[in-house]
Amino acid sequence: MRFAYALIPLLSISGQQFPDAAKLLHQRSSALKNYYSYQYTEVMSGSMSMTTSLQAVNPDKYRMELKAGSMEAMTIVANGQFVWMYMPVLKKYSKMQAADDMMSTLAAEFGGRGTVEDSELTANAKVIRSEVLEIEGQSHDCWVVESRAAKIALPASLGQSLLDVVRTLWIDKTLGIDLQTTLSARVNTTDIRSKTTKTSIKFNEHFPDSLFVFTPSPD
């Protein structure tokens, strides 16, 4: 009898219905567009350390500040018409016309190919479990989605590809956004591993227009 009772939780887990992984990834890519505005800090650790702070007003205003370790690496500002990219180390900035889905374009251009949607990663995605993720003392009930790909091309300027890619996302069941991502891959003979976590998430904040104005540094 005890053995029978012990089986009940296992049967419950094995009988749990998982949602379609491709649908979850599609919803994740547009979930933030459901809000007037949003902000978060994304911390990546592993083979390289990077912190990204993002503040955005839908549909096309945002300010993104990236740090590599403790060094300011880049600031990207968009006002809906133009996008400015400023690199403090080089003391250079560029200006370009805004385009649809500019955020994904920039992510792919600067090496974030493994974190934006790739057709093979979507095609091979599967929900492997349900898990509660603890972030800043808050519990988030998440679907865990795993994707694998033998090869993903990096930006043409790098002339390399990610090999043996395994990406795992923790997607909040209520918010629809990924709160944590792990990535493992190879570039030539170098192993790459990273873990990215979103913190300080807020929605529908009112940001001053000045936040989305880029003023070049005097030097």
Side-chain angles (χ1 to χ4, degrees), residues 106-134:
L106 291 170
E109 181 66 23
F110 292 101
R113 180 72 176 181
T115 60
V116 297
E117 282 319 308
D118 176 270
S119 57
E120 188 172 354
L121 286 176
T122 302
N124 292 314
K126 60 181 180 180
V127 179
I128 58 175
R129 64 181 181 272
S130 175
E131 184 175 319
V132 175
L133 194 64
E134 295 285 339

Side-chain angles (χ1 to χ4, degrees), residues 195-206:
K195 178 180 179 181
T196 305
T197 304
K198 285 185 174 69
T199 62
S200 305
I201 303 171
K202 293 183 180 179
F203 300 107
N204 300 326
E205 297 284 309
H206 288 274

